[in-house]
Amino acid sequence: MIMGANIGTTITNTLVSLGHVRNGTEFKRAFAAATIHDFFNLISVVIFLPLEMMFHPLEKLSRWLVQPLLGGASMDMGGLNFMKAVTKPPVSMIKQGLEGMGSLWAGIIMAIVGVIMIFLVITLIGKLLRQLMVGRAKKILHTAIGRGPVSGIMSGTLVTTLVQSSSTTTSLVVPLAGTGVFTLRQIYPFCLGANIGTCITALLAATAVSGENAIFALQIATVHLIYNVLGVVVIYGIPYLRELPIKAAEWLAELAAGKKIFALVYVVGVFFVIPAVLIAGSAALDKKKPEAKPQITALQISEKAPETKSFFN
Amino acid sequence: MNSTTRRDRLEAELRDVREHVESLEAELQKVVTEEQHETIDHLEDHFDAVENRFKGLRDFWKALISESSDKD
């Protein structure tokens, strides 16, 4: 799922790049800048998915990293529930307002209102964060200019951690590449940094989870981080592999600039058709299997360390 | 004697050209870097591109339709 999420999140910058369609050269550069991230993530899946299925390196490494934390002090803020103190009065007010409707309908209405509020708040927070963090993001990017790929990766990580969205940061660089001010090779490490930065958000969120499932949250967030860091180390570290996303993105951009239909086929194919086919295929395979073995990962850790289990309760 | 002088002259000219190319490359790099800093100064303008990605998609669709109708 994490590998799929990495690929899925790159659709935003690909859509942004399609907006440059009016100018042929600009479109070619923007589309290459967007798809370089897609190709990197696709290559990463091609390398790590079979390895994980055969040898479980990510699972083992994340378990090894999370295990020492089991004995540590609590990281969650459960005792200091600031949000509850703020949200309780308006919730009670709405509850009182819906008292005459019966508990079922009042519950349904409150659930719908709650979901709408969550979407609205997420959108507003995203916009606010961007406005608040744009100054800092600028400073980071100014510092990174002319300092090489490692600095590019670091700046991508930091900016993504600040704006809490890898699609926003990678979409931001698409117009920068489209105008030709930044080259594809300069954009590339920044996108890899965005992959890492997005995991830090998840890792922070995981530390806020308490109870039985805290270990699962922390382990899955750690798997995400290890997967993306290893992806950068392996693919960007090996010169031959490093060139593959650049060449693939340039080749596809050349095709798409010549005939727009290739861009459409690519977006529909990579983000909709292939995932649908794979889901259908794996569902069909699952049906054929007599009985699947239960998957135990993080749970084994908490069972092996019963004396520290209370940390997650 | 004559050929040595000519050779020295050519080598000196080549050194000059190399130095000139290097200084031009450094100047170009400076201009590119300035352009990049200037673009980053207007980073907030590009946030609109993220917000308006579906408008961009509409433009792309129009271009795609016009491309396919041109072909017909």
Side-chain angles (χ1 to χ4, degrees), chain A residues 7-21:
Chain A
I7 295 171
T9 195
T10 60
I11 194 172
T12 311
N13 63 354
T14 309
L15 294 183
V16 168
S17 74
L18 296 181
H20 292 259
V21 71

Side-chain angles (χ1 to χ4, degrees), chain A residues 130 138 142 181 186 260, chain B residues 36-37 41 44 51 67:
Chain A
R130 272 175 234 155
K138 275 183 192 178
H142 277 308
V181 176
Q186 287 172 321
K260 310 283 178 298
Chain B
Q36 290 179 339
H37 282 295
D41 280 333
E44 53 267 48
E51 298 292 331
E67 196 181 79

Side-chain angles (χ1 to χ4, degrees), chain A residues 12 15-16 18-19 21-22 127 130 134 138 141-142 145 171 175-176 181-182 186 259-261 264, chain B residues 33 35-37 39-41 43-44 46-47 49-51 53-54 56-57 59-61 63-64 67:
Chain A
T12 311
L15 294 183
V16 168
L18 296 181
V21 71
R22 285 175 190 169
K127 280 185 180 174
R130 272 175 234 155
V134 71
K138 275 183 192 178
L141 290 171
H142 277 308
I145 287 176
S171 300
L176 302 184
V181 176
F182 285 87
Q186 287 172 321
K259 282 181 181 173
K260 310 283 178 298
I261 190 76
L264 182 74
Chain B
T33 308
E35 270 181 18
Q36 290 179 339
H37 282 295
T39 309
I40 286 168
D41 280 333
L43 195 67
E44 53 267 48
H46 300 296
F47 276 121
V50 185
E51 298 292 331
R53 60 183 180 273
F54 292 109
L57 201 60
D59 291 344
F60 174 76
W61 189 251
L64 187 72
E67 196 181 79

Side-chain angles (χ1 to χ4, degrees), chain A residues 157-240:
Chain A
T157 306
L158 284 171
V159 173
T160 306
T161 310
L162 285 177
V163 298
Q164 302 272 297
S165 161
S166 64
S167 9
T168 302
T169 47
T170 53
S171 300
L172 264 181
V173 295
V174 166
L176 302 184
T179 53
V181 176
F182 285 87
T183 64
L184 188 61
R185 281 176 194 274
Q186 287 172 321
I187 294 298
Y188 184 22
F190 186 81
C191 295
L192 308 189
N195 261 13
I196 299 171
T198 198
C199 305
I200 290 161
T201 312
L203 206 60
L204 289 173
T207 60
V209 179
S210 57
E212 289 273 340
N213 295 327
I215 185 71
F216 293 107
L218 200 57
Q219 190 175 4
I220 203 71
T222 313
V223 166
H224 195 188
L225 181 67
I226 297 167
Y227 169 61
N228 281 340
V229 171
L230 276 181
V232 173
V233 170
V234 172
I235 299 172
Y236 202 78
I238 299 170
Y240 173 73

Side-chain angles (χ1 to χ4, degrees), chain A residues 2 52 58-67 69 203 206 213-226 296-302 312:
Chain A
I2 279 172
E52 183 59 22
L58 297 173
E59 187 190 320
K60 286 174 186 167
L61 200 56
S62 67
R63 192 184 299 172
W64 179 75
L65 282 169
V66 168
Q67 211 157 14
L69 295 174
L203 206 60
N213 295 327
I215 185 71
F216 293 107
L218 200 57
Q219 190 175 4
I220 203 71
T222 313
V223 166
H224 195 188
L225 181 67
I226 297 167
I296 302 167
T297 54
L299 189 63
Q300 288 173 333
I301 305 167
S302 51
F312 294 100

Side-chain angles (χ1 to χ4, degrees), chain B residues 11-27:
Chain B
E11 277 176 354
E13 268 180 36
L14 203 59
R15 255 196 319 272
D16 286 348
V17 169
R18 277 192 188 129
E19 274 173 20
H20 188 58
V21 167
E22 275 172 23
S23 83
L24 281 177
E25 274 175 350
E27 205 180 315

Side-chain angles (χ1 to χ4, degrees), chain A:
Chain A
M1 260 180 102
I2 279 172
M3 294 177 184
N6 259 15
I7 295 171
T9 195
T10 60
I11 194 172
T12 311
N13 63 354
T14 309
L15 294 183
V16 168
S17 74
L18 296 181
H20 292 259
V21 71
R22 285 175 190 169
N23 181 324
T25 319
E26 201 176 302
F27 174 67
K28 197 165 101 177
R29 288 193 291 237
F31 196 64
T35 52
I36 197 168
H37 194 198
D38 305 352
F39 283 115
F40 174 86
N41 285 333
L42 287 167
I43 292 169
S44 197
V45 171
V46 169
I47 293 171
F48 288 103
L49 185 62
L51 283 175
E52 183 59 22
M53 286 167 83
M54 286 187 286
F55 310 110
H56 314 292
L58 297 173
E59 187 190 320
K60 286 174 186 167
L61 200 56
S62 67
R63 192 184 299 172
W64 179 75
L65 282 169
V66 168
Q67 211 157 14
L69 295 174
L70 281 164
S74 175
M75 291 176 293
D76 74 76
M77 302 273 282
L80 184 74
N81 203 335
F82 173 72
M83 289 313 291
K84 202 170 183 179
V86 175
T87 54
K88 208 176 176 181
V91 169
S92 308
M93 206 172 77
I94 295 169
K95 256 186 195 172
Q96 280 170 2
L98 295 171
E99 253 174 9
M101 300 188 79
S103 61
L104 178 72
W105 283 107
I108 291 170
I109 290 170
M110 282 186 77
I112 293 169
V113 171
V115 170
I116 292 169
M117 295 275 280
I118 286 170
F119 280 113
L120 280 175
V121 167
I122 287 173
T123 312
L124 277 172
I125 286 177
K127 280 185 180 174
L128 270 174
L129 263 177
R130 272 175 234 155
Q131 283 168 4
L132 286 170
M133 295 304 172
V134 71
R136 285 190 185 178
K138 275 183 192 178
K139 273 185 193 167
I140 293 165
L141 290 171
H142 277 308
T143 317
I145 287 176
R147 286 175 196 256
V150 176
S151 183
I153 294 171
M154 294 305 289
S155 66
T157 306
L158 284 171
V159 173
T160 306
T161 310
L162 285 177
V163 298
Q164 302 272 297
S165 161
S166 64
S167 9
T168 302
T169 47
T170 53
S171 300
L172 264 181
V173 295
V174 166
L176 302 184
T179 53
V181 176
F182 285 87
T183 64
L184 188 61
R185 281 176 194 274
Q186 287 172 321
I187 294 298
Y188 184 22
F190 186 81
C191 295
L192 308 189
N195 261 13
I196 299 171
T198 198
C199 305
I200 290 161
T201 312
L203 206 60
L204 289 173
T207 60
V209 179
S210 57
E212 289 273 340
N213 295 327
I215 185 71
F216 293 107
L218 200 57
Q219 190 175 4
I220 203 71
T222 313
V223 166
H224 195 188
L225 181 67
I226 297 167
Y227 169 61
N228 281 340
V229 171
L230 276 181
V232 173
V233 170
V234 172
I235 299 172
Y236 202 78
I238 299 170
Y240 173 73
L241 290 177
R242 187 194 306 156
E243 292 299 308
L244 289 181
I246 299 173
K247 283 178 182 158
E250 282 175 343
W251 167 76
L252 185 68
E254 187 76 47
L255 275 181
K259 282 181 181 173
K260 310 283 178 298
I261 190 76
F262 286 117
L264 182 74
V265 168
Y266 168 78
V267 173
V268 175
V270 170
F271 296 103
F272 300 99
V273 177
I274 295 173
V277 168
L278 290 175
I279 289 168
S282 66
L285 280 173
D286 278 351
K287 269 186 185 174
K288 279 184 181 176
K289 276 182 190 171
E291 202 179 321
K293 276 187 176 179
Q295 292 265 319
I296 302 167
T297 54
L299 189 63
Q300 288 173 333
I301 305 167
S302 51
E303 280 172 355
K304 277 179 186 170
E307 70 280 2
T308 56
K309 205 179 169 184
S310 58
F311 161 53
F312 294 100
N313 292 334

